[in-house]
Amino acid sequence: MKPAMETAAEENAEQSQEKKVITRPEMEIGRYHWMYRSSRPHRYHHVPALRGNISPLGIQGCFECCIKCLGGVPYASLVATILCFSGVALFCGCGHVALTGTVTILEQHFSTTASDHALLSEVIQLMQYVIYGIASFFFLYGIILLAEGFYTTSAVKELHGEFKTTACGRCISGMFVFLTYVLGVAWLGVFGFSAVPVFMFYNIWSTCEVIKSLQTNVTVPGDQICVDIRQYGIIPWNAVPGKACGPILENICNTNEFYMSYHLFIVACAGAGATVIALIHFLMILSSNWAYLKDASKMQAYQDIKAKEEQELQDIQSRSKEQLNSYT
């Protein structure tokens, strides 16, 4: 019996040694795992949930969610949107009231005949309607640009899983870059145009200050110092009286309409300047976002190619395992 048992043990040892011989498919699989360590299947172990909303790391789950949400906020676009809304609101609101006060000053002191300033009244009324349109358009445009900032930030950081950039998204970003550039150039013209009434009112105010300073000097009468509105081209030369001199001009400067219109025109000009700065800020943001989306699209194409290659390698691995099983 003993020689038979020893013979059986030797046969089992020889069979185990034959089974331990590494075949070529096994060598290919080992080389594959050595080259692509990241492709090894990961084993996830279940971690028991703790009491309350505290994660296994000891940090509150609500806090993690808030941090993730705050990471997707486009802070640059948010600041530019607030600045744009503030500038447009100041320009439209103050400009509308200042234009109304300007018409009142012209009707009461510089052009008593309605037919002389009829064209100017129509132009000012048209400008007020344009102000309504500008306010509505930029309210919607600012919201759209802010939404585009959220989209780009989420696409670049991939905060929402498969929410990635597309060709349509890149085209929309490029269109916004062009449109913002055009609007920025247009608002530069608006900013320069809004400085014209500030210059006119400043001349009138400085003339009134000269008249006040000459009241102590009897040798120089203040009646010879005048302001002729007709030279600015806003009313025709046959308008009556068309100019104001001495005490009449000083009384005009002391009226509430002049004081309010002058300062509101200054605020409106500042609002136009703030809008220009906001559009320049938006232009920089959109340009950088478009560049990020372009790079992200290239990276996405690279990842797709890499995923296909890994899938092919996995197919080779599965076929090798099948061949190995068939050999054994």
Side-chain angles (χ1 to χ4, degrees):
M1 293 294 294
K2 186 174 181 180
M5 294 177 61
E6 291 179 356
T7 304
E10 290 177 357
E11 290 179 355
N12 291 332
E14 290 177 357
Q15 291 179 359
S16 62
Q17 289 178 359
E18 290 178 355
K19 290 182 180 180
K20 292 181 180 180
V21 175
I22 300 175
T23 61
R24 184 174 181 80
E26 288 181 340
M27 293 176 64
E28 292 291 335
I29 294 171
R31 188 172 67 88
Y32 169 77
H33 284 298
W34 180 76
M35 293 177 63
Y36 302 96
R37 296 180 183 272
S38 60
S39 63
R40 294 183 179 179
H42 298 278
R43 294 182 180 178
Y44 297 95
H45 300 281
H46 177 70
V47 179
L50 300 179
R51 295 181 180 179
N53 58 346
I54 303 177
S55 64
L57 298 178
I59 306 174
Q60 294 185 356
C62 183
F63 179 75
E64 292 178 349
C65 182
C66 292
I67 292 299
K68 183 178 180 180
C69 293
L70 292 176
V73 175
Y75 294 101
S77 297
L78 186 62
V79 171
T81 302
I82 295 174
L83 184 60
C84 182
F85 283 171
S86 302
V88 172
L90 289 175
F91 174 78
C92 294
C94 297
H96 185 277
V97 179
L99 288 174
T100 304
T102 302
V103 173
T104 302
I105 294 173
L106 289 175
E107 291 177 348
Q108 294 179 356
H109 303 285
F110 294 98
S111 181
T112 56
T113 306
S115 59
D116 293 338
H117 60 272
L119 179 61
L120 179 62
S121 299
E122 293 178 359
V123 171
I124 290 178
Q125 187 176 6
L126 179 62
M127 291 174 63
Q128 290 176 340
Y129 286 123
V130 170
I131 285 175
Y132 298 148
I134 290 174
S136 303
F137 172 78
F138 272 89
F139 177 75
L140 295 176
Y141 190 69
I143 293 177
I144 291 173
L145 290 182
L146 183 61
E148 198 273 341
F150 274 101
Y151 158 76
T152 306
T153 304
S154 300
V156 171
K157 295 184 179 180
E158 296 183 1
L159 297 176
H160 303 286
E162 297 298 327
F163 183 55
K164 297 179 180 179
T165 177
T166 59
C168 181
R170 294 193 299 273
C171 292
I172 292 175
S173 298
M175 182 190 68
F176 281 138
V177 171
F178 175 75
L179 185 58
T180 305
Y181 176 79
V182 174
L183 290 175
V185 174
W187 269 96
L188 281 175
V190 173
F191 176 67
F193 179 77
S194 61
V196 174
V198 176
F199 173 74
M200 293 171 54
F201 274 84
Y202 174 77
N203 286 337
I204 297 174
W205 174 81
S206 61
T207 305
C208 292
E209 292 297 320
V210 171
I211 294 174
K212 291 179 181 179
S213 63
L214 291 178
Q215 289 179 355
T216 56
N217 191 356
V218 185
T219 58
V220 180
D223 297 339
Q224 298 179 0
I225 301 176
C226 304
V227 171
D228 195 346
I229 299 297
R230 295 172 295 185
Q231 65 182 351
Y232 295 107
I234 59 177
I235 57 176
W237 283 102
N238 57 358
V240 179
K243 65 178 181 178
C245 303
I248 298 176
L249 181 60
E250 187 177 358
N251 292 331
I252 293 173
C253 294
N254 293 330
T255 58
N256 188 30
E257 289 82 5
F258 179 86
Y259 179 82
M260 289 296 296
S261 298
Y262 179 37
H263 290 85
L264 287 176
F265 273 126
I266 295 176
V267 176
C269 184
T275 306
V276 171
I277 296 174
L279 290 175
I280 294 174
H281 196 179
F282 266 129
L283 186 61
M284 293 188 294
I285 294 169
L286 292 171
S287 300
S288 62
N289 287 345
W290 184 80
Y292 285 142
L293 289 177
K294 186 177 180 181
D295 294 338
S297 64
K298 294 180 180 179
M299 182 61 65
Q300 183 178 350
Y302 169 75
Q303 290 177 355
D304 293 338
I305 295 173
K306 185 179 179 181
K308 290 180 180 179
E309 292 179 352
E310 290 181 353
Q311 184 65 33
E312 292 177 356
L313 291 173
Q314 289 178 1
D315 294 339
I316 295 173
Q317 179 184 3
S318 62
R319 288 195 299 268
S320 301
K321 287 182 179 179
E322 292 177 356
Q323 293 176 2
L324 177 61
N325 294 329
S326 64
Y327 292 155
T328 57

